[in-house]
């Protein structure tokens, strides 16, 4: 993996991926992120600094709070994960860790969508499906509200769809 892209290294940690998801819908402080993620304030601050250094979050505002100043950050919107070509195994590992954590928090008796596929389709079918998958994830992100907003439900969605290489089967030339 190349060390040239600091965004990849920053996104490759499951906690930072979760932070980016939370910061997508509303600006939050390190203290608020710590509460949401059940981690220490110091650890949340450390992860937030790493995201900021990589240009994945930006300072949204500074508020007076209990005699101090609260810095709230928001995600810089962009197709960061989709753009990554190098380091896919590292990203997949972080996504898989988050998926395992999210499954543990799945609400009993609720419906969802679960699928897995390794398929052969035409390039046109793949392009059309990729556009629809992107549109679905964009729709979910655009509908995101701040954590615990009235009338909302917490949803987990992890998606990694990609074209694979065509290896020559053993014994064929």
């Amino acid at each position: 993996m190349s060390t040239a892209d600091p965004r990849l290294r920053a996104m490759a940690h499951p906690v930072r991926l979760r932070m980016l998801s939370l910061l997508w819908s509303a600006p939050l402080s390190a203290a608020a992120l710590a509460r949401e993620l059940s981690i220490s304030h110091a650890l949340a601050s450390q992860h937030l600094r790493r995201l900021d250094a990589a240009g994945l979050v930006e300072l949204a505002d500074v508020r007076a709070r209990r005699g101090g100043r609260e810095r709230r950050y928001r995600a810089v919107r962009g197709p960061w994960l989709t753009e990554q070509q190098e380091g896919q195994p590292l990203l997949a590992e972080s996504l898989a860790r988050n998926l395992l954590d999210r499954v543990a928090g799945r609400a009993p008796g609720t419906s969802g969508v679960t699928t897995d596929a390794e398929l052969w389709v035409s390039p046109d079918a793949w392009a059309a499906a990729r556009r629809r998958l992107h549109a679905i994830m964009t729709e979910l992100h655009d509908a995101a509200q701040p954590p615990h907003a009235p009338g909302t439900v917490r949803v987990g969605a992890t998606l990694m769809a990609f074209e694979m290489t065509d290896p020559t089967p053993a014994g064929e030339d």
Side-chain angles (χ1 to χ4, degrees), residues 105-118:
R106 184 174 183 169
T110 61
S111 59
V113 177
T114 303
T115 187
D116 183 57
E118 183 174 329

Side-chain angles (χ1 to χ4, degrees), residues 20-118:
L20 285 172
S21 290
L22 289 168
L23 293 169
W24 189 268
S25 61
L28 297 171
S29 65
L33 287 165
R35 284 190 302 275
E36 284 300 316
L37 299 171
S38 299
I39 60 175
S40 72
H41 183 273
L43 186 57
S45 293
Q46 177 185 349
H47 284 304
L48 198 51
R49 280 192 300 273
R50 186 78 182 267
L51 291 170
D52 187 35
L56 295 170
V57 298
E58 62 189 4
L59 184 63
D61 59 37
V62 179
R63 295 178 170 184
R65 182 162 172 92
R66 291 188 232 164
R69 293 176 10 162
E70 177 184 62
R71 295 178 178 275
R72 295 183 340 136
Y73 291 83
R74 69 176 155 243
V76 172
R77 297 188 178 201
W80 311 121
L81 293 175
T82 297
E83 288 177 351
Q84 294 303 319
Q85 293 298 309
E86 288 187 50
Q88 289 288 305
L90 188 60
L91 282 174
E93 186 177 329
S94 291
L95 291 169
R97 181 71 235 157
N98 275 339
L99 181 58
L100 287 170
D101 291 344
R102 287 177 179 150
V103 165
R106 184 174 183 169
T110 61
S111 59
V113 177
T114 303
T115 187
D116 183 57
E118 183 174 329

